[in-house]
Amino acid sequence: MKKNLDVCLTPALIPLYNVQDYIVVVIDIFRATSSICYGIENGAEAIIPVSEVEECAAYRDKGLNYLIAAERDGKVVDGFDFGNSPFSYKAEKVAGKTVVLTTTNGTHALHLSRSAKKIVIGSFLNLTALCNWLKTQQENILLVCAGWKNNFNLEDTLFAGAVIEQLKNSGYTLDDPAIAANDLFQIGKNDISQYLSKTSHGERLKKLGIEKDIEFCLQVDMTIAIPVLDGDKLVKLV
């Protein structure tokens, strides 16, 4: 059976796909999915993605040992433990803990994908581990780019192209956005950070003085954990 390998270029386009027919990979390179991959690799028991800041804050009142993390427009929301900088997800901070997280783009894309057969999280940090696992699944795959406020962005699409590069000879039919994403990857692959230095989101983060986050999120194969959505929690795929 021919399987489809498709790319949804922005969450605004998710309604055009029969999400229930796919394994969905949610991609938000700067920075949510990179931080989630790093946190799960570093022993976070679970990361609970929520859409709204208020929803996130409500966990504080549940009296359990949650870390609450909220980011809007690249900044930590006042009153929260941290945002979505990967440096906040080191083992000494998150090991054994449950983090409740809301971000501008990544958690939004994830919630719109909830009817999928399975949702996993992708980043450059776990690229090869993710691709090796996807190759073992006899399912259609939809790579969902979180973009920026429902708009297209370069970094998520380039990562989708990197996944397609590893999977395209494994018997999938690619849609046009998948072909375009892979073409984009061919242009940028020799120096991804140089290619992505022109992105608007990168510029936004630089203005906030967090270039180190950008650099960190573009490291390839630093982790092997694949976060998977289990009920309302992202946990390590076993």
Side-chain angles (χ1 to χ4, degrees):
M1 187 189 85
K2 269 284 193 193
K3 302 167 304 231
N4 294 324
L5 176 53
D6 298 336
V7 172
C8 177
L9 293 168
T10 130
L13 297 173
I14 289 175
L16 302 181
Y17 296 85
N18 294 320
V19 173
Q20 66 277 9
D21 295 338
Y22 295 91
I23 287 176
V24 163
V25 180
V26 174
I27 304 161
D28 183 5
I29 296 304
F30 297 152
R31 299 163 286 165
T33 62
S34 303
S35 296
I36 290 166
C37 289
Y38 193 49
I40 293 292
E41 178 80 15
N42 284 332
E45 197 168 293
I47 295 174
I48 302 174
V50 297
S51 295
E52 301 302 329
V53 170
E54 297 70 27
E55 230 181 313
C56 193
Y59 275 83
R60 195 192 291 285
D61 306 328
K62 297 193 179 184
L64 295 163
N65 193 18
Y66 292 109
L67 289 171
I68 59 169
E71 168 271 336
R72 285 294 180 271
D73 298 329
K75 299 192 274 282
V76 179
V77 179
D78 285 347
F80 286 78
D81 297 321
F82 47 92
N84 67 348
S85 167
F87 296 107
S88 299
Y89 291 77
K90 291 179 173 173
E92 55 268 28
K93 187 148 192 175
V94 301
K97 299 278 177 56
T98 293
V99 180
V100 184
L101 172 69
T102 182
T103 74
T104 308
N105 306 297
T107 53
H108 172 62
L110 197 148
H111 278 275
L112 292 176
S113 306
R114 287 192 86 100
S115 60
K117 288 184 174 181
K118 194 169 268 187
I119 296 177
V120 293
I121 302 297
S123 69
F124 283 106
L125 303 185
N126 72 343
L127 172 62
T128 300
L130 172 71
C131 291
N132 289 343
W133 177 77
L134 288 171
K135 285 176 195 169
T136 69
Q137 306 301 300
Q138 298 306 308
E139 300 283 358
N140 299 320
I141 296 166
L142 180 63
L143 306 175
V144 173
C145 300
W148 174 257
K149 298 190 174 179
N150 272 332
N151 217 324
F152 170 90
N153 76 16
L154 268 178
E155 63 272 12
D156 295 347
T157 308
L158 188 97
F159 175 79
V163 172
I164 290 152
E165 184 68 11
Q166 293 201 29
L167 297 183
K168 64 184 180 184
N169 298 322
S170 301
Y172 293 94
T173 302
L174 307 184
D175 67 352
D176 281 7
I179 293 165
N182 190 240
D183 284 354
L184 195 65
F185 177 70
Q186 302 306 330
I187 297 167
K189 67 180 178 184
N190 292 331
D191 192 342
I192 287 169
S193 57
Q194 177 57 40
Y195 184 74
L196 291 178
S197 64
K198 53 184 146 187
T199 65
S200 54
H201 198 166
E203 285 305 312
R204 256 179 243 113
L205 295 177
K206 280 178 200 160
K207 283 189 183 125
L208 296 170
I210 38 189
E211 292 92 332
K212 278 192 166 63
D213 282 15
I214 297 173
E215 216 174 282
F216 186 92
C217 294
L218 296 179
Q219 295 176 98
V220 177
D221 292 343
M222 193 188 161
T223 66
I224 56 168
I226 301 168
V228 60
L229 191 67
D230 180 6
D232 64 349
K233 297 177 175 181
L234 289 162
V235 296
K236 187 177 179 176
L237 181 73
V238 289

